[in-house]
Amino acid sequence: MSATPATLPGSAELAKAAASAAIPLLKIDPALFRADFGDRPFRIRHRLASHELFALPRLIELARTLPRASVEYNAGNVGVTLDPTQTPHTGLSPEETIRRIEECQSWLVLKNVEQDAEYEALLDACLHEVEILGDPAAVGVCQREGFVFISSPGSVTPYHVDPEQNFLLQVRGTKTIYVYDGASKVVLSEEELERFYAGGHRNQVHKEAYEDHGQGFDLKPADGVHVPLTHPHWVKNGGAVSISFSITFKTAATERRAALYAVNHNLRQRGWKPVPVGASPFRDGLKYNGYRLLRRLGLAGNKQQPGAMGGVTT
């Protein structure tokens, strides 16, 4: 399905074409989407391989223009489990990291690329194709975000969770992403989710016992995978430079879920043993309505964003 760089239209043209359904950017099986979206990872395909917005010179320009807080980078030769306080750095600037990405053993992410109009148009075009599939779990999109990952050969993204529904699209190079069942309490306990949604770091501790609850997806250009909300995962790059585009969103339902886990964390900190989220719709309703009331009254405090201590998607 991918075209050569010479025949690919620009991002503005792609966005317009996608809106009119003339040139779909994503290839998603509607039946698979309805069955698995938000619950299980699944493969998709896309037309963004070799797209002009993911050429290294354009990404260097983007790194220069984004706010400094929107650029995160570190050494890529790390373990699957990584204590965030021990994250190694290379001493390079973001621009130099991208220029030397082939040999500098680094991992870099450009966050919220929708701050640039061209990337915003591309993100919107892609997510429009997700929304029109009509799954109830994708209703009420309230936060659209795009991330571009640029990684050296062999680099690792440590085991972590993210607070968004995510489609990871491989643009250049190869990688393997290992995704674990976020619904399994063997893999991710209520307490771990509560800490995460109360502002804890995205990085988690990977254990050998989790292997029976995960699966690997080998990705090459034009491949993609859906990573459901808070399904733990880690990534190992292949033998060449890798560039990926992560298109993510939250919904009213995912924001409600985040609030409930934050409330349960607060209750647990006060000595209570809260009923797990989803176990009692009635109690969930009481907690959420109480949370909303306290927020309106300015008494709920300033809840940190999930993964606020360095969090990022995939």
Side-chain angles (χ1 to χ4, degrees):
M1 292 180 63
S2 60
T4 63
T7 61
L8 276 170
S11 59
E13 288 78 7
L14 277 171
K16 291 176 183 176
S20 65
I23 307 177
L25 300 179
L26 307 180
K27 183 178 180 181
I28 303 175
D29 182 327
L32 187 61
F33 182 87
R34 287 191 293 270
D36 289 350
F37 175 75
D39 296 320
R40 288 172 290 277
F42 57 85
R43 291 183 177 275
I44 69 169
R45 297 277 291 169
H46 65 87
R47 297 190 70 255
L48 303 184
S50 301
H51 187 274
E52 60 189 15
L53 288 182
F54 303 105
L56 289 180
R58 181 66 178 91
L59 293 172
I60 291 172
E61 177 188 348
L62 179 63
R64 285 200 197 101
T65 57
L66 285 175
R68 180 63 189 83
S70 296
V71 183
E72 181 183 345
Y73 60 108
N74 53 254
N77 51 345
V78 298
V80 175
T81 295
L82 178 64
D83 180 342
T85 66
Q86 303 299 314
T87 302
H89 297 279
T90 63
L92 300 175
S93 69
E95 294 89 347
E96 191 65 17
T97 296
I98 298 174
R99 288 194 189 94
R100 297 175 54 186
I101 195 64
E102 191 162 356
E103 86 276 343
C104 70
Q105 293 188 312
S106 295
W107 172 95
L108 179 145
V109 58
L110 303 175
K111 307 178 188 179
N112 298 112
V113 298
E114 68 277 2
Q115 296 172 88
D116 179 293
E118 288 190 297
Y119 292 90
E120 180 185 31
L122 189 59
L123 174 66
D124 284 346
C126 290
L127 288 182
H128 173 71
E129 294 184 14
V130 173
E131 288 183 276
I132 62 176
L133 291 172
D135 190 275
V139 170
V141 171
C142 59
Q143 188 171 330
R144 301 161 178 257
E145 296 179 321
F147 304 82
V148 177
F149 296 88
I150 309 162
S151 308
S152 296
S155 64
V156 168
T157 304
Y159 184 73
H160 67 283
V161 295
D162 295 312
E164 308 96 349
Q165 302 287 12
N166 175 29
F167 289 88
L168 178 67
L169 311 178
Q170 188 67 11
V171 174
R172 171 179 168 179
T174 62
K175 64 174 48 169
T176 301
I177 179 170
Y178 300 90
V179 186
Y180 298 79
D181 183 4
S184 168
K185 297 311 175 187
V186 172
V187 173
L188 197 60
S189 69
E190 286 294 301
E191 290 87 346
E192 287 171 319
L193 277 168
E194 290 165 13
R195 285 193 296 270
F196 173 69
Y197 276 117
H201 198 277
R202 65 191 174 100
N203 285 6
Q204 304 289 317
V205 176
H206 180 273
K207 298 178 182 178
E208 187 176 342
Y210 300 165
E211 290 306 312
D212 290 339
H213 302 271
Q215 62 184 119
F217 295 85
D218 295 323
L219 303 180
K220 60 185 183 299
D223 288 337
V225 63
H226 168 52
V227 182
L229 174 79
T230 62
H231 275 47
H233 51 284
W234 67 278
V235 179
K236 173 71 173 180
N237 276 6
V241 170
S242 170
I243 298 176
S244 306
F245 184 37
S246 190
I247 61 171
T248 79
F249 62 94
K250 298 176 183 176
T251 66
T254 67
E255 292 296 86
R256 182 180 188 271
R257 181 177 187 265
L260 289 171
Y261 274 110
V263 168
N264 274 6
H265 175 79
N266 185 274
L267 292 173
R268 196 178 299 276
Q269 293 297 103
R270 295 170 182 267
W272 292 64
K273 293 184 179 179
V275 174
V277 173
S280 170
F282 175 73
R283 293 193 184 194
D284 283 351
L286 290 178
K287 291 174 188 175
Y288 186 60
N289 289 332
Y291 168 82
R292 293 178 64 193
L293 176 60
L294 290 175
R295 285 293 297 269
R296 283 199 296 269
L297 296 175
L299 300 175
N302 294 319
K303 182 174 75 70
Q304 282 185 289
Q305 290 297 312
M309 299 171 60
V312 66
T313 298
T314 310

